[in-house]
Amino acid sequence: MTFITGLLAPYWQQIAGAAIAIIGALGLYLKGRSDATAKAKLEDITNANAIRKAGADARSGANPDGVHDDGWRRD
């Protein structure tokens, strides 16, 4: 046995448990980040669709003859 292996042999269970805990925490962190990214993308798409609908509604409700004359001259 090498020197390092001899020192770590009694603690292999604790080392393996700590490694598994760190890997699990990292997995949960990455899952949370991917969920947040997906939620943000869905919210962006929803907002963009609402903006497009509001624009289409405004265009459909606009006067097709143009702007009315309110007495003020504009260039």
Side-chain angles (χ1 to χ4, degrees):
M1 272 206 259
T2 65
F3 179 70
I4 294 175
T5 308
L7 287 177
L8 296 179
Y11 304 109
W12 70 270
Q13 288 179 332
Q14 289 86 357
I15 293 170
I20 290 172
I22 290 171
I23 291 170
L26 181 63
L28 288 174
Y29 172 75
L30 293 175
K31 174 65 173 153
R33 285 194 49 104
S34 70
D35 287 350
T37 301
K39 182 179 176 185
K41 285 181 182 180
L42 179 63
E43 185 177 348
D44 287 345
I45 290 170
T46 303
N47 289 340
N49 288 339
I51 290 168
R52 286 187 192 107
K53 183 180 181 322
D57 291 345
R59 281 188 296 278
S60 69
N63 184 359
D65 296 330
V67 179
H68 69 281
D69 183 15
D70 62 359
W72 294 94
R73 293 190 61 86
R74 295 182 181 91
D75 291 332

